């Protein structure tokens, strides 16, 4: 049995004394377009997830544990409810993005080639997906705040989160080096990723500077339960509203910058041609 491929020919007079091109259409072209679309959807999901959602969730967990003193959201500390919502959404979107690229590759792994950026991206990417998928399950088995083993969960959960976040940036840089992409070192995509890498470092340094500065000026004898978000009062409490306003302003600034950079990169990816 022979498998036939339907082709549509175009008739044209050809002069034999000069070079001519004969064009024809193959039905598989539509499949190629759909496959490229799946790759773009994968990239767009991962860009927004890890630049906007994950980074914001990390900042909230690290710097806003006592910003909403004794307030609850969905029965939990405000910072915890927000962090859980952001990270749960990130985990779902990461797995969804992975499924899109899996369909694009028809369930096969990227073929290994020496110095292949595609293969390196696939390795780093699958580690990120695995860590993102594992985090919610680890969080569901966390110890009580008073448990003597709580520190194990705290450092393990934090280590996995930061590691996956750093690897996500590496994966994005590897992606713009794909041979089929039209990205160049002078392109907008490279500039956005470089700007994002610098911005996220600056944001963390600013938050650390804020914490150190106001801690040195703090005269209020109080301590905080960093896991529950509650303020434990010893004698008197002086709430530094200026510090919280600065932190909140910086958080909104970060969200706006992250949205602007990620959306610009998404548009750049959507308009990109593949060779």
């Amino acid at each position: 049995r022979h498998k036939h491929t339907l082709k549509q020919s175009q008739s044209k007079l050809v002069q034999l004394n000069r070079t001519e091109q004969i064009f024809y259409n193959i039905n598989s072209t539509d499949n190629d377009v759909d496959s490229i679309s799946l790759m773009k959807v994968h990239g767009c999901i991962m860009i927004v997830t890890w630049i906007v959602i994950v980074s914001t969730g990390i900042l909230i967990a690290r710097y806003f544990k006592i910003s909403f003193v004794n307030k609850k959201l969905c029965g939990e500390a405000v910072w915890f409810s927000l962090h859980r919502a952001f990270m749960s959404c990130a985990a779902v979107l990461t797995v969804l993005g992975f499924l899109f690229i899996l369909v694009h590759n028809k369930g096969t792994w990227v073929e290994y080639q020496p110095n292949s950026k595609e293969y390196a991206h696939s390795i780093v990417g699958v580690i990120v997906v695995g860590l993102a998928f594992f985090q919610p399950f680890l969080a569901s088995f966390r110890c009580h705040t008073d448990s003597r083993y709580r520190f194990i969960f705290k450092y393990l959960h934090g280590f996995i989160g930061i590691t996956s976040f750093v690897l996500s940036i590496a994966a994005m840089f590897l992606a713009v080096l794909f041979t089929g992409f039209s990205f160049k070192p002078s392109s907008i995509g490279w500039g956005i990723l470089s700007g994002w890498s610098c911005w996220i470092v600056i944001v963390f340094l600013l938050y650390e500077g804020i914490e150190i500065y106001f801690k040195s000026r703090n005269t209020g004898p109080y301590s905080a339960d960093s896991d529950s978000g509650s303020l434990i009062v010893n004698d008197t409490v002086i709430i530094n509203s200026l510090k919280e306003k600065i932190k909140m302003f910086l958080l909104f600034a970060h969200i706006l910058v992250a949205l602007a950079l990620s959306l610009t990169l998404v548009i750049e990816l959507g308009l990109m041609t593949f060779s």
Side-chain angles (χ1 to χ4, degrees):
R1 298 177 62 183
H2 298 281
K3 184 177 180 181
H4 299 281
T5 302
L6 180 62
K7 299 181 180 180
Q8 181 180 357
S9 62
Q10 295 179 344
S11 60
K12 181 180 178 181
L13 294 177
V14 178
Q15 295 184 8
L16 299 179
N17 60 348
R18 68 179 184 181
T19 303
E20 293 284 351
Q21 290 182 333
I22 300 176
F23 298 93
Y24 60 91
N25 296 323
I26 303 177
N27 287 346
S28 60
T29 302
D30 293 337
N31 294 331
D32 293 338
V33 173
D34 292 339
S35 181
I36 292 174
S37 297
L38 289 174
M39 181 187 295
K40 289 184 176 182
V41 171
H42 162 79
C44 292
I45 290 176
M46 293 304 193
I47 288 169
V48 175
T49 298
W50 288 91
I51 289 183
V52 181
I53 299 176
V54 173
S55 63
T56 304
I58 291 175
L59 290 175
I60 290 174
R62 179 161 179 81
Y63 300 109
F64 288 85
K65 288 183 177 179
I66 59 173
S67 296
F68 308 96
V69 179
N70 296 326
K71 293 182 179 180
K72 301 292 183 180
L73 179 63
C74 299
E76 300 284 354
V78 174
W79 78 265
F80 178 77
S81 294
L82 292 175
H83 175 72
R84 180 173 58 185
F86 274 98
M87 292 315 197
S88 297
C89 181
V92 172
L93 289 175
T94 299
V95 174
L96 181 62
F98 175 71
L99 292 177
F100 275 112
I101 202 64
L102 197 64
V103 173
H104 164 74
N105 288 332
K106 298 179 175 61
T108 61
W109 197 263
V110 178
E111 183 180 356
Y112 171 76
Q113 294 179 356
N115 300 320
S116 171
K117 305 301 185 298
E118 289 83 353
Y119 184 79
H121 173 83
S122 69
I123 297 298
V124 176
V126 78
I127 294 174
V128 172
V129 172
L131 293 177
F133 183 76
F134 176 70
Q135 277 285 63
F137 293 98
L138 176 63
S140 64
F141 290 100
R142 66 186 182 279
C143 306
H144 190 270
T145 55
D146 296 330
S147 174
R148 62 175 180 171
Y149 300 110
R150 177 74 177 194
F151 75 96
I152 298 177
F153 163 78
K154 181 178 179 180
Y155 288 110
L156 181 61
H157 186 67
F159 174 78
I160 292 176
I162 294 298
T163 300
S164 59
F165 181 63
V166 172
L167 288 177
S168 73
I169 298 176
M172 285 187 281
F173 269 105
L174 286 170
V176 300
L177 293 173
F178 284 5
T179 54
F181 282 13
S182 57
F183 277 127
K184 297 179 181 179
S186 59
S187 68
I188 296 177
W190 269 94
I192 293 173
L193 285 179
S194 299
W196 163 247
S197 301
C198 295
W199 169 255
I200 196 63
V201 172
I202 291 172
V203 167
F204 274 101
L205 290 177
L206 286 174
Y207 270 113
E208 290 297 325
I210 291 170
E211 294 293 335
I212 294 172
Y213 174 77
F214 282 98
K215 185 177 181 179
S216 65
R217 293 172 59 89
N218 179 34
T219 57
Y222 68 90
S223 59
D225 184 344
S226 61
D227 289 313
S228 66
S230 300
L231 204 62
I232 304 172
V233 182
N234 297 327
D235 295 315
T236 59
V237 177
I238 299 177
I239 300 177
N240 199 323
S241 60
L242 177 60
K243 173 186 174 182
E244 298 306 324
K245 288 179 180 179
I246 294 175
K247 287 167 57 178
M248 193 63 67
F249 173 80
L250 186 57
L251 180 65
F252 281 118
H254 165 74
I255 293 174
L256 290 176
V257 171
L259 280 172
L261 292 176
S262 61
L263 291 179
T264 305
L265 193 57
V266 164
I267 294 173
E268 178 79 359
L269 178 61
L271 298 176
M272 183 180 298
T273 57
F274 296 83
S275 59

